[in-house]
Amino acid sequence: MRDMRTKGRVAALGSAGVLVTATLISGAVAAPSASAGTDARHGKDREAYGVAVAAARAAKAGIDWQDCPADWGFAKPIQCGWVSVPLDYAKPYGKQIKIAVDRIGNTGTKAERQGALVYNPGGPGGSGMRFPTRVTTKNPIWANTAKAYDFVGFDPRGVGHSAPISCIDPQEFVKAPKADPVPDSEADKLAQRKLAREYADGCAERTGKAMLEQMTTPNTARDLDVIRAALGEKKLNFLGVSYGTYLGAVYGTLFPGHVRRMVVDSVVNPSREKIWYEANLDQDVAFEMRWNDWQDWVAANDATFHLGTTRDAVQAKWLELRAAAKKSPIGGVVGPAELLGLFQGAPYYDSSWVPVATVFSKYFAGDTQALVDAAAPDLSDTAGNIASENGNAVYTAVECTDAKWPTSWKKWDRDNSALHEKYPFLTWSNAWLNLPCATWPVKQQTPVDVKTGKGLPGVLIVQATRDAATPYEGAVELHKRFKGSRLITEKDAGSHGVTGLVNPCINERVDSYLLTGKLDGADVTCAPHATPKP
């Protein structure tokens, strides 16, 4: 499950599938003593020792901020730099990799500055490097926070400019058309199983097992602590969305005393039992719910879209379009998989409601080119295709390595066949996206037991009740586990990523928390943000 989908390969988004965070004073981190290191290296927690070593090194080195490379696409006053981290925290003096970071300084006075706010947008596989552009584009939602904080983004390990990984040739990854995700026969399932196994093997061949073994959420959380030290921050201010909430939850568990303020938005269920197989099954159910919400909206706006005045009528049009694409790919390039890659945007984000409905409407009015333009992969977009393939590789590597997955095809087949009967929109697509985890070529880990640790301050949790990618129960679960946290619920809304939308009930509370550290005395329920208008 993931929240960054690309055209061409269909999968789940979610916890974030492809288809579609300091004090005023910077302080040096003391290097661990020899005796502490000896104890840790003899088995207590070699990774904890490794993080301490790497953080002390990073605090001393700092970050050599420069103008960003021209081909990164970030103009002044945004600056870029690097932070070195161990590939394997159990071997802090071994191989190092470089994490790309960028920043823009706070817009307020020196007296107003409260440090750095570090951001992760989700994935796994999402780049946070665009975060400083919220300042350069003068995004009004973030104007108050920007007065107090430097906005800092980074490419997590394996992503973008940070030792990027790969599982398949990028051009092969985006070539169209793909097979229909919904199998008609056992032969179809066998073909998808073969593709999944080949993809898993490709990850080992193109990335190397030594790197794959270290592609985990706990390691990314450790990288985040080294970035904190390199920034000269004693404590971390963090904003995480979608999978970024799980990264925040793991960071808060491993480094509770290093958190200053943390906002998590659209929350992955952090239960060990949910990471990651069960979380993806939950996502299939939630996507169907939000797909129905969108169809109801399309039907209510039939005067604009002319696709039917009831949900059933709109669904019939969807099935008609899907059947046509299956019989003969539209424009030669848009089959059922490509269709899903486009249409899944609607249950994901309210911002996609109008664009997707418009393309849908145009198709039935005789304009097929709009659909081709929106859904077909662009084979000429070399840089974009490299980024899409890389994002999918990281998504797969992190989810497959983070946790143990079922290896029995019978279980996958039984669970997904049963779900598909009631929740057909995304189920099989999501299954195929994640199936490489069944034959994953490196050791799978045991997820962190997310819980409150000594020194963890109150965390602000924000969640819409009808979110498809990260179902509402995830926010409730994290709220239980992080004592002293507060939950802001956006009722009867379902856009994924709530803090970026205009809803004063939420925006003002996020600002207040980041600027003052104060939380409401009790959990808060907010009315939904405005429904899109055609």
Side-chain angles (χ1 to χ4, degrees):
M1 80 200 261
R2 103 194 201 118
D3 54 359
M4 306 201 26
R5 305 208 173 206
T6 57
K7 291 188 209 169
R9 177 176 167 90
V10 183
L13 295 178
S15 349
V18 162
L19 265 102
V20 204
T21 313
T23 54
L24 292 165
I25 316 163
S26 62
V29 178
S33 68
S35 60
T38 303
D39 288 342
R41 282 172 289 182
H42 281 92
K44 284 197 176 176
D45 192 347
R46 292 183 300 166
E47 283 89 1
Y49 171 77
V51 180
V53 169
R57 203 158 46 202
K60 186 176 180 181
I63 300 171
D64 181 18
W65 295 109
Q66 303 283 344
D67 292 342
C68 299
D71 60 351
W72 288 20
F74 302 113
K76 294 180 188 178
I78 297 172
Q79 296 178 300
C80 293
W82 302 93
V83 177
S84 290
V85 301
L87 173 63
D88 180 353
Y89 278 94
K91 301 173 182 176
Y93 301 103
K95 179 178 173 61
Q96 307 290 303
I97 57 175
K98 286 187 173 182
I99 304 297
V101 294
D102 66 348
R103 74 166 181 187
I104 191 166
N106 73 303
T107 61
T109 64
K110 189 174 181 179
E112 288 176 295
R113 185 176 179 275
Q114 295 193 39
L117 177 65
V118 184
Y119 173 70
N120 180 270
S127 168
M129 297 286 279
R130 289 194 55 78
F131 185 51
T133 67
R134 294 189 184 184
V135 179
T136 57
T137 58
K138 295 182 167 55
N139 184 320
I141 294 172
W142 295 98
N144 292 329
T145 300
K147 289 179 183 177
Y149 292 95
D150 304 343
F151 278 22
V152 175
F154 70 105
D155 277 344
R157 60 169 55 205
V159 175
H161 307 292
S162 299
I165 69 168
S166 173
C167 293
I168 187 174
D169 180 86
Q171 290 300 99
E172 290 296 317
F173 177 75
V174 296
K175 276 184 183 174
K178 303 284 187 288
D180 185 347
V182 178
D184 289 327
S185 65
E186 291 303 313
D188 287 349
K189 293 177 182 178
L190 199 60
Q192 290 282 12
R193 292 171 63 190
K194 181 172 181 286
L195 287 173
R197 183 182 288 273
E198 289 172 352
Y199 187 82
D201 291 345
C203 294
E205 291 164 10
R206 291 177 69 92
T207 294
K209 290 185 178 181
M211 180 73 178
L212 276 191
E213 287 171 348
Q214 304 302 327
M215 289 294 299
T216 66
T217 302
N219 275 341
T220 304
R222 294 173 182 120
D223 295 343
L224 192 53
D225 201 54
V226 179
I227 292 170
R228 172 201 59 75
L231 289 167
E233 303 286 345
K234 283 189 173 179
K235 294 195 175 187
L236 181 73
N237 304 291
F238 179 74
L239 169 62
V241 181
S242 192
Y243 165 77
T245 68
Y246 183 58
L247 175 60
V250 172
Y251 182 89
T253 300
L254 296 180
F255 307 100
H258 292 186
V259 178
R260 181 173 179 264
R261 307 222 171 114
M262 180 180 288
V263 179
V264 288
D265 169 6
S266 303
V267 182
V268 172
N269 192 320
S271 165
R272 281 176 158 177
E273 287 69 40
K274 295 293 185 181
I275 302 294
W276 285 105
Y277 179 76
E278 292 289 339
N280 279 281
L281 300 182
D282 292 345
Q283 194 179 49
D284 299 337
V285 176
F287 258 92
E288 198 75 29
M289 171 185 67
R290 196 59 179 161
W291 173 247
N292 291 340
D293 289 350
W294 177 71
Q295 291 184 318
D296 288 339
W297 174 85
V298 172
N301 289 282
D302 184 61
T304 300
F305 301 119
H306 313 294
L307 291 164
T309 58
T310 65
R311 180 197 300 173
D312 287 348
V314 177
Q315 175 71 1
K317 288 290 190 185
W318 161 248
L319 294 176
E320 183 182 340
L321 172 57
R322 213 179 171 289
K326 182 169 183 173
K327 183 176 180 181
S328 179
I330 298 161
V333 289
V334 178
E338 289 70 33
L339 275 184
L340 192 54
L342 172 67
F343 277 76
Q344 69 188 1
Y348 243 103
Y349 306 107
D350 290 8
S351 59
S352 293
W353 279 22
V354 174
V356 174
T358 300
V359 169
F360 195 11
S361 177
K362 283 183 176 180
Y363 172 83
F364 281 101
D367 178 1
T368 60
Q369 191 58 44
L371 179 61
V372 172
D373 291 345
D378 181 1
L379 298 180
S380 68
D381 182 12
T382 303
N385 293 337
I386 290 171
S388 295
E389 189 278 325
N390 168 243
N392 199 78
V394 175
Y395 167 82
T396 308
V398 172
E399 291 211 0
C400 294
T401 311
D402 259 1
K404 294 172 177 63
W405 288 70
T407 56
S408 162
W409 166 246
K410 285 184 178 179
K411 178 170 177 57
W412 286 76
D413 192 21
R414 181 177 65 248
D415 290 348
N416 287 281
S417 294
L419 270 178
H420 176 77
E421 290 300 314
K422 291 184 177 180
Y423 314 104
F425 178 72
L426 196 69
T427 296
W428 277 114
S429 159
N430 208 2
W432 305 133
L433 174 73
N434 294 295
L435 190 58
C437 298
T439 58
W440 196 237
V442 300
K443 182 182 178 182
Q444 294 174 321
Q445 307 296 314
T446 299
V448 168
D449 184 17
V450 169
K451 59 186 175 183
T452 309
K454 184 179 179 182
L456 183 71
V459 170
L460 184 60
I461 302 169
V462 188
Q463 179 78 33
T465 56
R466 301 184 72 80
D467 188 338
T470 53
Y472 183 73
E473 292 72 24
V476 175
E477 183 67 25
L478 183 60
H479 186 26
K480 287 178 186 172
R481 288 166 179 262
F482 273 2
K483 307 301 180 189
S485 62
R486 283 289 174 265
L487 172 59
I488 300 176
T489 297
E490 189 181 27
K491 191 177 181 182
D492 298 329
S495 200
H496 187 60
V498 178
T499 53
L501 302 174
V502 177
N503 187 333
C505 177
I506 295 167
N507 305 143
E508 291 167 8
R509 284 178 167 83
V510 171
D511 270 354
S512 176
Y513 171 72
L514 288 172
L515 295 174
T516 71
K518 292 179 182 175
L519 292 165
D520 284 280
D523 295 337
V524 175
T525 298
C526 293
H529 62 273
T531 303
K533 289 182 170 57

